[in-house]
Amino acid sequence: MSKPIYVLSGPNLNLLGVREPQIYGKETLDDVRAACERRAEALGRTIVFRQSNHEGVLIDWVQEARTEASAIVINPAGYGHTSIALLDALKAAELPIVECHLSNPAAREAVRHHTYVSLAATGLVSGFGLASYELAVEAAARLSA
Ligand code: DQA
């Protein structure tokens, strides 16, 4: 049995469904979790799905994933654009890492064009709303045993 894929979400994503739905969609984080669980199950895999508004908590989970996970899917949200500490934790994890965004940050304000997380990511899925997470879980499953 392979280790789970950690699916981590950063700040403000607990507000999915009510937060700028024209950008992030009407689905809630529970909907995202259910879709990820369905996709993982279809691939014969399991996930650990967590969200935090706190940078240090996300870093603790990435450090935990280092030994407990087979791969990491992470939507770092705003911390992707600011956090070198999160980048360092992801590099130290030495796991396949799939960066995931609901929107397409490259097509938005300039402040969103750079993410530190991309420097540690194996690949990036963005712009497909809830489906970004499903595709990221599929990519993570392909990248890991
Ligand atoms: C986001 C994009 C980020 O720029 C933003 O700060 C978020 C969500 C996305 O999923 O599209 O909070 O990561």
Side-chain angles (χ1 to χ4, degrees):
M1 184 75 179
S2 45
K3 292 179 182 174
I5 297 164
Y6 272 38
V7 183
L8 305 179
S9 297
N12 302 304
L13 292 169
N14 55 312
L15 296 178
L16 273 187
V18 291
R19 172 194 182 205
E20 299 182 274
Q22 70 284 5
I23 295 175
Y24 298 115
K26 289 186 182 149
E27 291 97 351
T28 66
L29 195 61
D30 276 344
D31 296 331
V32 174
R33 177 200 296 267
C36 287
E37 281 171 352
R38 275 196 304 272
R39 182 61 62 105
E41 195 181 349
L43 295 164
R45 302 294 295 270
T46 58
I47 61 167
V48 168
F49 189 96
R50 297 180 187 157
Q51 184 275 334
S52 178
N53 292 327
H54 304 279
E55 186 177 10
V57 172
L58 290 164
I59 289 167
D60 285 344
W61 289 342
V62 170
Q63 289 190 9
E64 179 185 309
R66 189 174 190 283
T67 53
E68 303 305 318
S70 59
I72 299 172
V73 169
I74 185 162
N75 182 348
Y79 288 140
H81 309 302
T82 62
S83 179
I84 294 171
L86 185 58
L87 165 63
D88 288 343
L90 288 165
K91 281 195 161 173
E94 295 180 335
L95 289 171
I97 290 160
V98 183
E99 181 178 352
C100 167
H101 299 277
L102 296 147
S103 68
N104 178 3
R108 299 178 60 196
E109 310 97 297
V111 74
R112 298 181 199 278
H113 292 179
H114 175 265
T115 86
Y116 288 104
V117 166
S118 293
L119 295 172
T122 314
L124 165 72
V125 184
S126 66
F128 303 109
L130 176 147
S132 288
Y133 274 81
E134 295 178 283
L135 294 166
V137 166
E138 175 143 6
R142 286 182 183 219
L143 289 166
S144 65

